[in-house]
Amino acid sequence: MDFLITILNMLDGTFRVGTPLILAALAGLCSERGGVIDIGLEGKMLGGAFVAATVAYMTGSAWLGLFCAIAACVLLSLVHGYASITHHGNQVVSGMAINIIVAGLAPTIGNAIFHINGDTPPLPHDARFTAITLPFADSLANVPVIGPVYSGVISGHSFTTYLAFALVPFVSWMLYKTRFGLRLRAVGENPEAVDTAGVSVQWLRYRAVMIAGVLCGIAGTSLSTSLGASFIRDMTAGKGYLALAAMIFGKWRPKTTLLACLIFAFTDTLQARLQGVDLPLVGEIPVQFIIMLPYALTVFLLAGFVGKVIAPTADGEPYIKEH
Amino acid sequence: MAAPKKLPVWVNAGLIPLINLLAAFAVSAVVILAVGESPVEAAGHIVYGAFGFGEGIGYTLYYATNFIFTGLAVAMAFHCFLFNIGGEGQAYIGGLGIGLVCLYSGGLPFWAILPLAIIGGALFGGLWALIPAYLQAKRGSHIVITTIMFNFIASSVMTFLLVDWLKKPGSQLPETDHFVDASFMPKVHEMFASVGLDVARSPLNFSFLIALLCCVAVWIFIWRTRWGFEIRASGKNPRAAVYGGISPSKAIILSMFISGALAGLVGLNELMGVQHRVVVNFTNGYGFVGIAIALMGRNHPLGIIFASLLMGALYQGGAELAFEMPTLTSDMIWTIQGFVILFTGALEHMFRPQLEALFLKRDSKEGGDE
């Protein structure tokens, strides 16, 4: 029974930890399907987290925080778009620039406002997205099997977690079932064809990066107002890059990307649980190696062990219209 | 399409980067205004801190030394069209190689330790870069992602080693024992003092000269050797390179190894020059700054020296700034750096059309002397 509870707790943790990863990976996916590489997920998420926490703290409204975080991330996306779509700049460089700018800018502004080393003060309960208890969760809790799963794992997450999971089928529907999605995929594979069909390549790509901005804004909000209760400098700690890896691992498809995110999130939960535990045969694993686990796994998985990964053909290629 | 128009060299290599740089500073000034400080006053503190007195100049050059190493590293990989984001991890692991030499070379004189340390740092840094390089060349893993992951892995590995294996006995801090005295890199003020000249004390040391020598070596390697040619050729067009009898995967592995080796030399300056022991996170983000350095310096060693001086000045001036205006901490320097990368790297062509229009119009007025 203890074992079962451990497993359920870990699943619960996986969903929580996976939330920003899923949102950021979907952001990267939308952008790259449209042909724009987005290394800046990390920075946008960090920016979103900062804006969400700051606005939520000052106004007391988590929703206003979410809204402003989305606006800020869309703005950052537009900078990325301006460099890489309008000026055909190097997309990786532009993304890195955004990461570094935000890593410096967020604590600078935070310090100017709050004077506590760049972090925000702890958010009051009302200014956060807190756990939502789903209907009947309490009454079902004692029913065997279904009870613990429903009330312990599925219920009790925050709004952003449910939103993240709901967005996976939505993005999938958007990509594969709508005209916009068809064009978006086309612009990542063969922009010439889209151009020939009389559809603006630039405007499509701008919309792709803006969608990425919206999703990063939600991802950042989930970090600082629902997983955590304040903004802490460098709180993304590589999650943006992990999300990017998950998207590649998921071969630029929403459902497989979700799966990849959950695997990374599970490793993360696992490392938190393995710390200081004596394992049979190997003994206690040094904490640094456990922290390393998700990153090492990423390298391992990307080393071709998931089969050949093929990026959208025009991914990272600036489109220069012939005259 | 219209025939490609040529801008004069000084516009391409001098004026455009300068304008981009000014744009980056202008945006940074807006940020400083936004947090309620005066950009003019801030700029004054930065310039005075970096160049206003002897010690400041020494610090500027000392920071520049690190940036030359990491900038050369990024540029080396760039010539093969590889984006090496792993400079930070390579420098960190390279420091381990240097540290091991300096810890266990008791009895050897400095002139024997120095080459061993250079080999140690280059080998450790190079080998650390070799794994992502191999995965890119043979298995098609994305080098951007793998080098980023290797930064995190390097950080974990080093923390583990410094906490569990290499820690100074009896110490609580995650750092190694002191290096043997013979391995200390001579400081520049000491060197000048020995010939009777008085120079302000600063951490600037002999590695600055090694960094400059590396610039020369990289220039010769890239533009004057067969290997350098192969790296540039397969970077520009891997398919054409194959037809020319060049193996792109060999070029990838070679350029990444050298790239990692150059990054690995940061420890010469930081560890042998200043810390005299291996400490946690001694790389302090220098590997990431290398990206900005390479971009600003247009991947050319000479450009990298200038870019490193600029960034060194920003760092040293930034420390002065944080002291004089406490609102503007070192985070502000990161912000400025980010804008510099954005404008000199991703937006490098933003002002080009206007400049082209300006210069080519002037040329045609003068009778088109092209």
Side-chain angles (χ1 to χ4, degrees):
Chain A
M1 201 55 205
D2 267 359
F3 181 69
L4 191 71
I5 290 170
T6 309
I7 295 281
L8 289 180
N9 278 343
M10 284 184 71
L11 277 179
D12 186 55
T14 301
F15 290 155
R16 244 166 10 94
V17 174
T19 303
L21 271 184
I22 295 166
L23 289 162
L26 286 178
L29 190 145
C30 290
S31 178
E32 300 215 355
R33 270 305 177 97
V36 182
I37 291 182
D38 200 352
I39 293 261
L41 294 176
E42 175 89 3
K44 274 184 270 191
M45 240 202 299
L46 192 68
F50 171 71
V51 172
T54 306
V55 173
Y57 179 79
M58 292 174 113
T59 63
S61 159
W63 288 98
L64 212 54
L66 174 67
F67 180 76
C68 292
I70 290 176
C73 288
V74 169
L75 206 67
L76 286 172
S77 281
L78 287 176
V79 171
H80 185 51
Y82 183 66
S84 54
I85 303 169
T86 303
H87 286 292
H88 313 128
N90 186 319
Q91 299 174 0
V92 174
V93 173
S94 165
M96 276 310 283
I98 287 174
N99 290 344
I100 295 177
I101 290 171
V102 176
L105 200 55
T108 301
I109 299 175
N111 204 24
I113 302 177
F114 301 113
H115 309 288
I116 39 175
N117 194 29
D119 301 344
T120 63
L123 299 178
H125 187 268
D126 293 344
R128 295 183 57 206
F129 287 108
T130 44
I132 299 172
T133 309
L134 292 184
F136 313 119
D138 292 332
S139 46
L140 280 175
N142 293 323
V143 180
V145 187
I146 305 170
V149 171
Y150 183 71
S151 64
V153 179
I154 297 176
S155 173
H157 292 287
S158 72
F159 162 73
T160 49
T161 303
Y162 294 117
L163 184 63
F165 278 88
L167 278 169
V168 175
F170 178 77
V171 167
S172 192
W173 169 80
M174 193 262 301
L175 275 180
Y176 297 109
K177 295 284 191 273
T178 65
R179 188 163 69 166
F180 171 71
L182 175 70
R183 288 178 174 172
L184 191 71
R185 281 182 293 137
V187 91
E189 295 290 342
N190 193 341
E192 288 83 0
V194 175
D195 198 12
T196 314
V199 180
S200 165
V201 171
Q202 295 215 338
W203 173 225
L204 264 172
R205 288 192 164 173
Y206 264 109
R207 277 180 284 175
V209 295
M210 283 194 289
I211 292 172
V214 172
L215 291 169
C216 282
I218 308 173
T221 307
S222 79
L223 271 177
S224 63
T225 67
S226 107
L227 290 186
S230 68
F231 171 82
I232 302 163
R233 56 169 63 221
D234 301 324
M235 75 184 306
T236 42
K239 284 197 176 63
Y241 302 119
L242 269 185
L244 208 61
M247 175 206 72
I248 296 173
F249 178 32
K251 300 181 182 174
W252 289 268
R253 288 200 292 260
K255 279 164 202 155
T256 36
T257 298
L258 169 69
L259 196 69
C261 289
L262 290 179
I263 292 176
F264 285 144
F266 183 76
T267 359
D268 213 26
T269 332
L270 189 69
Q271 61 105 337
R273 191 155 276 274
L274 281 180
Q275 289 186 15
V277 176
D278 248 322
L279 288 182
L281 296 176
V282 280
E284 189 182 321
I285 304 174
V287 59
Q288 288 82 18
F289 282 94
I290 302 173
I291 291 174
M292 201 168 90
L293 210 60
Y295 308 116
L297 183 74
T298 307
V299 174
F300 183 76
L301 291 174
L302 291 185
F305 293 102
V306 284
K308 191 123 184 80
V309 285
I310 298 160
T313 319
D315 201 10
E317 301 282 331
Y319 180 66
I320 300 168
K321 203 178 165 100
E322 295 271 344
H323 291 291
Chain B
M1 271 180 108
K5 301 164 198 163
K6 275 268 166 89
L7 282 173
V9 174
W10 69 270
V11 175
N12 247 333
L15 188 62
I16 289 185
L18 191 69
I19 291 177
N20 289 331
L21 207 58
L22 290 177
F25 289 154
V27 178
S28 310
V30 173
V31 172
I32 294 175
L33 268 181
V35 298
E37 297 284 351
S38 151
V40 178
E41 196 193 338
H45 288 310
I46 292 179
V47 172
Y48 175 76
F51 302 110
F53 50 102
E55 191 190 345
I57 296 172
Y59 267 97
T60 296
L61 293 176
Y62 146 73
Y63 285 123
T65 310
N66 292 327
F67 300 146
I68 291 176
F69 285 130
T70 55
L72 283 177
V74 175
M76 189 69 218
F78 250 142
H79 279 288
C80 198
F81 255 68
L82 296 167
F83 207 74
N84 179 14
I85 303 192
E88 188 75 6
Q90 290 144 19
Y92 208 8
I93 299 285
L96 175 67
I98 291 172
L100 289 178
V101 169
C102 295
L103 281 171
Y104 301 110
S105 58
L108 289 178
F110 176 73
W111 56 263
I113 294 178
L114 183 62
L116 283 178
I118 290 176
I119 292 171
L123 203 64
F124 273 56
L127 290 176
W128 193 251
L130 208 57
I131 310 169
Y134 173 82
L135 293 175
Q136 159 96 28
K138 302 290 183 192
R139 311 218 49 131
S141 316
H142 203 305
I143 198 137
V144 172
I145 304 281
T146 42
T147 47
I148 290 172
M149 295 299 145
F150 264 65
N151 286 335
F152 291 112
I153 297 176
S155 167
S156 292
V157 168
M158 288 296 282
T159 312
F160 167 72
L161 290 175
L162 289 174
V163 169
D164 286 351
W165 281 14
L166 294 169
K167 195 168 74 175
K168 181 181 177 180
S171 163
Q172 291 298 314
L173 298 170
E175 56 185 42
T176 65
D177 216 338
H178 257 251
F179 291 170
V180 296
D181 288 359
S183 72
F184 292 7
M185 197 68 85
K187 295 249 167 66
V188 164
H189 62 88
E190 295 163 357
M191 288 156 68
F192 274 96
S194 66
V195 291
L197 287 168
D198 192 25
V199 174
R201 289 178 65 88
S202 77
L204 179 65
N205 59 70
F206 185 65
S207 1
F208 181 63
L209 217 64
I210 301 176
L212 293 181
L213 285 175
C214 282
C215 288
V216 178
V218 165
W219 182 81
I220 293 173
F221 178 82
I222 290 180
W223 281 285
R224 288 291 179 272
T225 68
R226 189 193 161 78
W227 280 357
F229 173 75
E230 289 183 358
I231 284 171
R232 281 182 296 134
S234 50
K236 285 252 159 58
N237 190 340
R239 251 181 250 169
V242 171
Y243 283 112
I246 295 167
S247 154
S249 47
K250 186 186 134 193
I252 289 173
I253 286 175
L254 184 66
S255 68
M256 276 303 283
F257 179 79
I258 299 174
S259 173
L262 287 164
L265 296 183
V266 166
L268 294 179
N269 187 39
E270 277 298 312
L271 302 181
M272 288 173 77
V274 180
Q275 303 283 359
H276 299 154
R277 62 197 194 282
V278 185
V279 294
V280 168
N281 291 334
F282 74 85
T283 45
N284 202 14
Y286 301 134
F288 291 114
V289 185
I291 300 165
I293 302 291
L295 285 169
M296 263 193 290
R298 292 285 185 273
N299 299 316
H300 191 285
L302 197 62
I304 286 170
I305 294 176
F306 284 119
S308 299
L309 288 176
L310 173 80
M311 209 54 98
L314 259 179
Y315 257 61
Q316 165 54 17
E320 179 83 9
L321 177 68
F323 184 69
E324 297 285 344
M325 299 164 84
T327 319
L328 300 172
T329 54
S330 62
D331 298 312
M332 191 57 221
I333 299 301
W334 274 95
T335 314
I336 298 176
Q337 215 187 99
F339 285 124
V340 168
I341 296 183
L342 183 70
F343 282 97
T344 60
L347 284 169
E348 60 177 329
H349 301 306
M350 184 160 67
F351 299 109
R352 190 175 290 266
Q354 290 86 332
L355 282 168
E356 262 168 4
L358 195 72
F359 279 94
L360 297 171
K361 202 162 73 186
R362 199 197 59 178
D363 273 4
S364 57
K365 262 190 200 148
E366 285 169 4
D369 51 357
E370 259 187 280

